[in-house]
Amino acid sequence: MALMTGKEYIASIESLDLEANVLGQRTGELPNHPLVQPSLRAVAVTYDCAHDDACRALFRAFSPLVGDEVNRFTHLYQSADDLVNKVLMQRHCGNLTGCCFQRCVGMDALNALDSVTCEMDEASGTGYHDRFRRYLQYVQEGDLVADGAMTDPKGDRRLSPSQQADPDLYVRIVDRRPDGIVVRGAKLHQTGALNAHEIIVMPTRALSEQDQDYAVAFAVPADAPGIVMIYGRQPSDTRKLEGGQIDVGNRQFGGHEAVIILDDVFVPWERVFMAGEHAFSGLLVERFAGYHRQSYGGCKVGVGDVLIGAAQALARYQGTERASHIKDKIVEMIHLNETLYACGIACSAEGQPTPSGTYLIDLLLANVCKLNVTRFPYEIARLAQDVAGGLMVTMPSEKDMAHPEVGAYLEKYLRSVERYTTEDRCRMLRLVENLTLGPGAAAYLTESMHGAGSPQAQRIMLARLADLEEKVRFAQKLAGVRDQGPDG
Amino acid sequence: MALMTGKEYIASIESLDLEANVLGQRTGELPNHPLVQPSLRAVAVTYDCAHDDACRALFRAFSPLVGDEVNRFTHLYQSADDLVNKVLMQRHCGNLTGCCFQRCVGMDALNALDSVTCEMDEASGTGYHDRFRRYLQYVQEGDLVADGAMTDPKGDRRLSPSQQADPDLYVRIVDRRPDGIVVRGAKLHQTGALNAHEIIVMPTRALSEQDQDYAVAFAVPADAPGIVMIYGRQPSDTRKLEGGQIDVGNRQFGGHEAVIILDDVFVPWERVFMAGEHAFSGLLVERFAGYHRQSYGGCKVGVGDVLIGAAQALARYQGTERASHIKDKIVEMIHLNETLYACGIACSAEGQPTPSGTYLIDLLLANVCKLNVTRFPYEIARLAQDVAGGLMVTMPSEKDMAHPEVGAYLEKYLRSVERYTTEDRCRMLRLVENLTLGPGAAAYLTESMHGAGSPQAQRIMLARLADLEEKVRFAQKLAGVRDQGPDG
Amino acid sequence: MALMTGKEYIASIESLDLEANVLGQRTGELPNHPLVQPSLRAVAVTYDCAHDDACRALFRAFSPLVGDEVNRFTHLYQSADDLVNKVLMQRHCGNLTGCCFQRCVGMDALNALDSVTCEMDEASGTGYHDRFRRYLQYVQEGDLVADGAMTDPKGDRRLSPSQQADPDLYVRIVDRRPDGIVVRGAKLHQTGALNAHEIIVMPTRALSEQDQDYAVAFAVPADAPGIVMIYGRQPSDTRKLEGGQIDVGNRQFGGHEAVIILDDVFVPWERVFMAGEHAFSGLLVERFAGYHRQSYGGCKVGVGDVLIGAAQALARYQGTERASHIKDKIVEMIHLNETLYACGIACSAEGQPTPSGTYLIDLLLANVCKLNVTRFPYEIARLAQDVAGGLMVTMPSEKDMAHPEVGAYLEKYLRSVERYTTEDRCRMLRLVENLTLGPGAAAYLTESMHGAGSPQAQRIMLARLADLEEKVRFAQKLAGVRDQGPDG
Amino acid sequence: MALMTGKEYIASIESLDLEANVLGQRTGELPNHPLVQPSLRAVAVTYDCAHDDACRALFRAFSPLVGDEVNRFTHLYQSADDLVNKVLMQRHCGNLTGCCFQRCVGMDALNALDSVTCEMDEASGTGYHDRFRRYLQYVQEGDLVADGAMTDPKGDRRLSPSQQADPDLYVRIVDRRPDGIVVRGAKLHQTGALNAHEIIVMPTRALSEQDQDYAVAFAVPADAPGIVMIYGRQPSDTRKLEGGQIDVGNRQFGGHEAVIILDDVFVPWERVFMAGEHAFSGLLVERFAGYHRQSYGGCKVGVGDVLIGAAQALARYQGTERASHIKDKIVEMIHLNETLYACGIACSAEGQPTPSGTYLIDLLLANVCKLNVTRFPYEIARLAQDVAGGLMVTMPSEKDMAHPEVGAYLEKYLRSVERYTTEDRCRMLRLVENLTLGPGAAAYLTESMHGAGSPQAQRIMLARLADLEEKVRFAQKLAGVRDQGPDG
């Protein structure tokens, strides 16, 4: 089975009939639009790595389902080692792109659906698992990118889906037909949506019986009728349209998010993986979120490496590399970044098989991982700004640098250590700006906060998963106190 | 004496002959350029407040020098109360503008020069102090904005000014004439430079004898021949050019920085306040930096109030206002912000008169203030992003919201608590984006880090100003250890 | 009016008839008991300082009430300067004693009662204020120590006073007689109780009408019938009984807490300052707590100075004083300690008069002060342990050091920098142990956490005192959003 | 091969002839002394667990060396799983003992010596490895406890071993004989020394040629002639001698440290594992420290569980269990504790074989683990004190509680939630006191700081092990900057 190269992947996305679906004042923001291209190139890296001798082994895995090697981004985790390799692969992609490479969310959705459909079938006699496996075979054979779409708009946070003033504020089944279902609603924050072949929709929260129409999971092609994508904007996004190379910070790569509207989209039954089984909605959310919280222990660490490298490079260019306080800050950045990595590795290494055979990370540790991700990248970014210096936000534009008269002034006065050029220094400053205040920060900071669930979601999981009663018993035994159980 | 209104101030700036001086690909970025206007409007607030009944008393002070009320931004601090009122005035301006209002740096430069010229004269028999007072009278009577220009490019951080490959990397005297001096060099990070009537140049570090040509302080009009200003860019700055109201985050106000080049500028002696007295260079830096580190305990706190208010508003709009974890985060933001304020107040209340009669803040506490400012705004910003939610960086543009078809989708799906409009929610999200990732973050975060000196500069001052030997003696006495003095 | 010396004070306490009141297995723990003496000596410092030329001006204040100078610890704050001087005085005492010197709680109780009785009288026509002022005159003239007793046992935290299974878990009036009231209950955590001439009892929380018997404030002599004091134990407290000088860490000074039982104590009306006015209970708590939260910005800072000095001394003795990471940790300790001080100064400098004329600190900033005190001393202690090294907890006892054979080994092997003796090093290590793990830590850490109210109490105050609606309006104005007021 | 039970172990220690070796004023502090017994019982748990059905599999491992199961505490790690199991075993022991169980340091020393002797032999043709393996066989067959002794007194930290005023401040070879060597010096901070059968001595730092006499590693029986042990004291240690059950906090278990003097101890060659190979001294330190930094990701986490359980129990007893801020603090404690665990697991799961076949943890992650251990336990302890309340340090002694009159008062007034007894509450408070301010804190806090190397040691390793140049290259590639290599 031939795995696609990045170039083939880009061609495959460009061949989608997205024009009708991608709407807005900023129409034309299709894959070949300069705003979108960097994010498409970032996804392409996940393809090219499977052909790069230095890392192809890491990016490929043998899939029993198709009896052949697949790109690991479409793979079901068969072992704890597979889970660990996922993290290594993600860190590597972060290192190469310095941004979100957008393909994890689909991988995590596929793995979550695999085990949940299996357990749903066991409990309810439904036939979702076989159906899902056939769909997965299609994804693996096509080496496709899937967008994993979970987050609903949610409206008033105090109200359940069916209590909302507008019943469409969570995706729901509006019609059940012999050949499939019709769904309506929207999914927000859809990372890389315009770069995906497929969209996999899942519910966003645990649901009770009165919300059973909201318990729906399915896959649709990205260019299915009724799908509307509205491109999101990021800090400093339009620098990509200025035609320069420096101010954009990260010349080649970037990410994007979109709002996806499902305007009465028809989904044939063979692509439906949950339709009313509200009791399994929470489990699916927990599994998907768990996998995705693990992911951040890889991808954000990879981006962190880039930011540490940029800070170190600037210290070198500016003559502060040997100052003890600078060295100390670099060490602190490393320490925080590797702590995130340790969490990613630990929840993977402690992974266990689910009934479907697919491995699940240790959920407690995956939540610990993500909760740290909501904190440490912010501190790493703060330290990077400390090391980089204020010029990052006061420096004139690259057009000024290219201007004959003004450029000469800047060349003269922004020069630092003789060995390095003024331009190199400015380029590196713009990379730090990109990652801490620009489009890169949308992914490295804000997405670290809210992606895969906001910090409070992780805290709730920690409260639930930590065996507090056991800890109380340990303490009572040592204190010589009789156990009376929890207060009733 | 009539104090200017904001409108009169803007007219006065527009009447400057800056065209020849503001250069670059982005020429025309004069006061009336849409990139510059918001920052001009922010300065204008410092004028209008002196005419607003609600706060005029705070913005005016009696100046013995001119025998009349002046705008407090041109005032010499006559008492500890004056120092406290400065902080209150700055917090108020931060509240009204949500950005850097740019007029403090000149105020702090004037106060620092006042005491240092006096002490220089006492020590060296020079006549700088009277000369400076005459200049100050001119500033007070004209109700002028002065840019306080301290930070040199510095080149290779390991080398002193005269050791640099290019001797111009610190501003220096290149010629001494009967009628004045000629100076060459540049000043980076010049906040509000295009909005100033005057530029006050000071050295950037303590200097030894071989660097005495670098010990130079003076004032020049902003439109003096040889002055070149190159406008700096900020994150998402070009949103100001898009013609919208929402995506820009802060509709009315903003700040800017510029590189100022001094290309052999002539300064007549009556505007020269230091010319070779290298032994006083460090003192001037310490005084100016001290005042400016105090300032951040006012202005950044004022901006912090806005960010806290924005987070609280979003919690309200989104239905999470009563969630205990949200309330707790808001309280934490308040706590951190008020800690900064406490530091600003404390270093002011403990202020003492200098030989010139002008009051100086407690330098130790002013450095403590600023060191906290290099930390807490980052944490406040992180918490604001937590409360605000990820939509801030994934939301489509306001052009999409205005589009008939797309806008309807967004209106429907981005609606949260019924009582509040979708547009209001989006506006508030953009304000948080502005302050944590946009042009506001350049001031609220990066400038908090590096403005008035990077954190290591404050740490060096703390090590110097804290009486460690006294603390050792206290400990020795309690431990019953004979004092042997510091290890030789 | 002659202010007492420390020696006279100790004699006055020893003359109290406490024997019947101080009970327990550890009877005899009267002032002259070696467990209690160090704490008595610490209080005596507050007397001696009023006779020490170096600081007598700080420790004395003119009291209009008695028309003479009084010890500032019995003074009503007449100005913001008085409030600032209180903090300076407390820092000085902390510097001299390295522990809690126990006299602040009474000072804060007196000041709180002064304004609240005045406002109660104004609102309710009661006559408490004059009565209180007469009592205060007695305290000032006698130069007495008062214990301010607020914290009730509280039983089940979920239940109000009258809902408790045992109605005595909050102090209450059990009988009202023509000549006075009879009270029953207990007060926990009574710092310095055995060293006080007087005990001033106040309610511990805001109360509603059904709890009006709990709204009671009064003063009784420490040796009044029915008062029982039970001495609390502290970490490593019995080292004081070992007869050594080194292992005790702080040779001279210490603190103590006691449980005070009020076993149907009679209080004549002239010493009753609240008896049923439940509506003013919350105000009294808020005022007292506010003053006491300010106090910690002085006393704990003074102890912090000692700990910083001890760490610095150890770095010197051990040869690490010049290591950059050690210097950096010392600077960090200074920074945190001075931030606490800044908060103490700021809430004082912003003080305002109450209707009684007595000045009240800025309550918001006083709560900010205390909330920082629940954090920074722990970090300072952690850093002190880092600098000190592990020997602090692994070092043999001083008896081993005095043993001929063993002592020789220790003298040889625990020697560090030649210039300093092994014994000096060990003494200093024990001081750090005292302050971070020993009896000093009970005051420097645990009391910093819970004294004057636990952190959540401060957070509730911050939520109440910060004008959140104003901040929301600032944000709305800048975002261009119409104000709709808080969500109903 | 029969593994010992705890009882057999205790008997085996009691049969050692230690009397002559354990010296000091506090002679008789032999295993059966009440000060020492709790620590002996803690070690015994490591034996009993190997016979407990619930965990015997975890505590046993097959040793190829002896061809039988051994106690895992004497085992060479044969795989990454073995490394993970070590951490699980340590967490379990921490759960059961709530203290340091003292047997890890020998385990880590054995594993470090195994690989280093192998690599030394390969490089230098020495024969240490076989010799070491024979010794290890003796340890495994005897199921012995070994003390791993690394930390020298170090004297003046600025001077190398041979530069010290006293050449004995680092352990050194003072004589080389045909049958062995004679060593002199001391090792500080020897955890559990009095409970060990064997003492394994290693150098404490990297050494250069002039310090080659200090490059010495060997094993001696604990009762060898010339060995002197001086028992260290801990906070509140003498509560163990008071005969009570409550105030001691942890009734059964504890730890201890001792100074070990090597007063010209003879070591036969078959027990010498390094004698002059200074080039391998640093490697041995790095390996041993690495293993021991991993260990803290298990044992301290286990103790952390106890402290979390104690805080939760107290919240329950006191009626605050459901308060949102209390729940949030408990979650934070869990989060920090599990982050440490994640680091312990991650460095284990990433373990790799050394040339000897024995597995080594990932050194970078092990250092990250330990650096977090120098921080998080302090914050967990702070939060535990917050949840527990101040009564922990103000509560009277258990003798008071047992006193007829006083006890009745305390029983009445310290009662909280009806369902739980006053005594249970007090017992639990004492456990928290033990772990945060008492003898348990010596291990849980100070040892977390300095054990296995102080934080700066880990930072130096991070700077060395993180591939900073690779990170710079990633950043340069993304910024479009040509790589010039590190500044020369």
Side-chain angles (χ1 to χ4, degrees), chain A residues 154-283:
Chain A
K154 296 203 205 96
D156 187 332
R157 297 301 189 278
R158 296 165 298 188
L159 307 175
S160 82
S162 58
Q163 289 172 331
Q164 300 286 335
D166 178 345
D168 302 338
L169 288 172
Y170 289 74
V171 170
R172 63 183 180 124
I173 304 172
V174 289
D175 197 11
R176 289 165 183 264
R177 300 192 197 156
D179 53 346
I181 57 177
V182 177
V183 293
R184 188 188 302 152
K187 293 289 182 181
L188 304 188
H189 319 306
Q190 291 311 300
T191 302
L194 275 71
N195 301 335
H197 305 94
E198 291 280 320
I199 295 167
I200 300 175
V201 172
M202 297 164 287
T204 204
R205 48 171 285 181
L207 296 167
S208 56
E209 199 171 349
Q210 68 262 40
D211 289 326
Q212 65 179 16
D213 285 345
Y214 297 89
V216 60
F218 56 87
V220 285
D223 54 0
I227 298 279
V228 178
M229 296 189 201
I230 311 173
Y231 198 77
R233 83 175 305 182
Q234 294 182 328
S236 295
D237 49 1
T238 51
R239 289 197 194 173
K240 295 190 185 81
L241 308 177
E242 293 179 1
Q245 282 222 347
I246 299 176
D247 287 3
V248 78
N250 185 338
R251 298 174 308 149
Q252 276 192 277
F253 303 117
H256 77 255
E257 281 85 20
V259 175
I260 296 183
I261 311 286
L262 301 159
D263 196 350
D264 290 355
V265 174
F266 172 74
V267 189
W269 283 114
E270 68 265 24
R271 283 173 157 268
V272 176
F273 312 127
M274 177 186 285
E277 290 78 8
H278 65 87
F280 286 87
S281 173
L283 187 68

Side-chain angles (χ1 to χ4, degrees), chain C residues 6-69:
Chain C
K7 205 169 158 186
E8 288 161 356
Y9 154 70
I10 291 177
S12 74
I13 291 292
E14 287 176 350
S15 72
L16 291 179
D17 181 24
L18 286 173
E19 231 156 309
N21 293 18
V22 180
L23 286 181
Q25 198 63 17
R26 315 209 295 180
T27 47
E29 281 162 17
L30 295 173
N32 55 358
H33 188 281
L35 265 182
V36 183
Q37 278 177 338
S39 81
L40 199 64
R41 284 195 293 260
V43 183
V45 167
T46 68
Y47 286 89
D48 282 333
C49 282
H51 299 276
D52 176 349
D53 286 347
C55 56
R56 65 181 288 146
L58 184 60
F59 281 72
R60 290 169 177 248
F62 179 82
S63 167
L65 195 61
V66 298
D68 203 348
E69 267 190 350

Side-chain angles (χ1 to χ4, degrees), chain A residues 324, chain B residues 463 466-473 476 483-488, chain C residues 308-331 386-388 416-417 419-420, chain D residues 155-159:
Chain A
S324 66
Chain B
D467 189 346
L468 255 177
E469 290 312 314
E470 186 191 55
K471 294 183 208 303
V472 169
R473 285 193 299 274
Q476 286 175 331
D483 182 42
Q484 295 192 269
D487 196 20
Chain C
I308 294 166
Q312 174 71 8
L314 282 167
R316 184 170 292 166
Y317 301 168
Q318 296 175 166
T320 59
E321 188 178 6
R322 306 263 164 89
S324 66
H325 74 98
I326 295 291
K327 287 192 290 183
D328 200 57
K329 284 161 191 165
I330 297 285
V331 165
D386 187 347
V387 173
S416 193
V417 172
R419 191 164 175 242
Y420 304 98
Chain D
D156 187 331
R157 298 300 190 276
R158 297 164 298 188
L159 307 174

Side-chain angles (χ1 to χ4, degrees), chain B residues 372-450:
Chain B
N372 280 320
V373 171
T374 69
R375 301 173 175 182
F376 294 170
Y378 284 85
E379 177 64 3
I380 293 170
R382 194 185 72 88
L383 290 167
Q385 290 198 0
D386 187 347
V387 173
L391 190 59
M392 187 180 90
V393 297
T394 67
M395 194 165 47
S397 75
E398 68 180 300
K399 288 187 186 166
D400 292 313
M401 305 196 71
H403 180 279
E405 192 178 358
V406 173
Y409 281 129
L410 294 176
E411 175 62 35
K412 173 183 174 74
Y413 284 114
L414 301 187
R415 189 70 178 272
S416 193
V417 172
E418 275 296 287
R419 191 164 177 242
Y420 304 99
T421 67
T422 300
E423 183 179 317
D424 284 355
R425 183 189 184 196
C426 294
R427 281 177 178 270
M428 200 54 83
L429 284 164
R430 288 294 181 212
L431 177 57
V432 175
E433 186 200 22
N434 176 295
L435 286 170
T436 65
L437 293 170
Y444 186 58
L445 302 180
T446 317
E447 186 185 295
S448 287
M449 178 64 80
H450 293 290

Side-chain angles (χ1 to χ4, degrees), chain B residues 190-205:
Chain B
Q190 292 311 300
T191 301
L194 275 73
N195 301 335
H197 306 92
E198 290 282 319
I199 295 168
I200 299 174
V201 172
M202 297 164 286
T204 203
R205 47 171 286 180

Side-chain angles (χ1 to χ4, degrees), chain C residues 23-27 29 153-158 164-166 168-170 184-186 188-190 226 228 230-239 242 247 257-259 261-263 316-320 322 324-325 329 374-375 378 381-383 385-400 402-406 409-410 412-418 425 430 433 436-438 441-443 445-447 449-450 454-456 459, chain D residues 23-27 29 153-158 164-166 168-170 184-186 188-190 226 228 230-239 242 247 257-259 261-263 316-320 322 324-325 329 374-375 378-379 381-383 385-400 402-406 409-410 412-418 425 430 433 436-438 441-443 445-447 449-450 454-456:
Chain C
L23 286 181
Q25 198 63 17
R26 315 209 295 180
T27 47
E29 281 162 17
K154 296 203 206 96
D156 187 332
R157 296 303 189 277
R158 296 165 298 187
Q164 299 286 335
D166 178 346
D168 302 339
L169 288 171
Y170 289 74
R184 188 189 301 154
L188 303 188
H189 320 305
Q190 291 311 301
V228 178
I230 311 173
Y231 198 75
R233 82 175 307 181
Q234 294 182 327
S236 295
D237 49 0
T238 51
R239 289 196 194 173
E242 293 178 1
D247 286 3
E257 281 85 20
V259 175
I261 311 286
L262 301 159
D263 197 351
R316 184 170 292 166
Y317 301 168
Q318 296 175 166
T320 59
R322 306 263 164 89
S324 66
H325 74 98
K329 284 161 191 165
T374 69
R375 301 173 175 183
Y378 284 85
R382 193 185 73 86
L383 290 166
Q385 291 198 359
D386 187 347
V387 173
L391 191 58
M392 187 180 90
V393 297
T394 68
M395 193 166 48
S397 75
E398 69 179 298
K399 287 188 188 165
D400 293 314
H403 180 278
E405 192 178 357
V406 174
Y409 281 128
L410 294 176
K412 174 182 173 74
Y413 284 114
L414 301 187
R415 190 68 178 272
S416 193
V417 172
E418 275 297 287
R425 183 190 184 195
R430 289 295 181 213
E433 186 201 21
T436 65
L437 293 170
L445 301 181
T446 317
E447 186 184 294
M449 179 63 81
H450 293 290
S454 304
Q456 187 62 11
R459 299 183 81 84
Chain D
L23 287 182
Q25 198 64 16
R26 316 209 294 181
T27 48
E29 279 161 17
K154 296 201 205 99
D156 187 331
R157 298 300 190 276
R158 297 164 298 188
Q164 299 287 334
D166 178 345
D168 301 339
L169 287 172
Y170 289 74
R184 188 188 303 153
L188 304 187
H189 320 305
Q190 292 309 301
V228 178
I230 310 173
Y231 199 76
R233 82 175 307 181
Q234 294 182 326
S236 295
D237 50 0
T238 51
R239 290 197 194 173
E242 293 179 2
D247 286 2
E257 281 84 21
V259 175
I261 312 286
L262 301 159
D263 196 349
R316 185 170 292 166
Y317 301 168
Q318 297 175 168
T320 59
R322 307 262 162 88
S324 66
H325 74 98
K329 285 161 191 164
T374 69
R375 301 173 177 184
Y378 285 85
E379 177 64 4
R382 193 185 73 87
L383 290 167
Q385 290 198 359
D386 187 347
V387 173
L391 191 58
M392 188 180 90
V393 298
T394 66
M395 192 165 50
S397 77
E398 69 180 297
K399 287 186 189 166
D400 293 314
H403 180 280
E405 192 179 357
V406 174
Y409 281 127
L410 295 176
K412 174 182 173 75
Y413 284 114
L414 300 186
R415 190 69 178 273
S416 193
V417 171
E418 274 298 286
R425 183 189 184 195
R430 288 295 182 212
E433 186 200 23
T436 65
L437 293 170
L445 300 181
T446 317
E447 186 185 293
M449 179 63 81
H450 293 290
S454 304
Q456 187 61 10

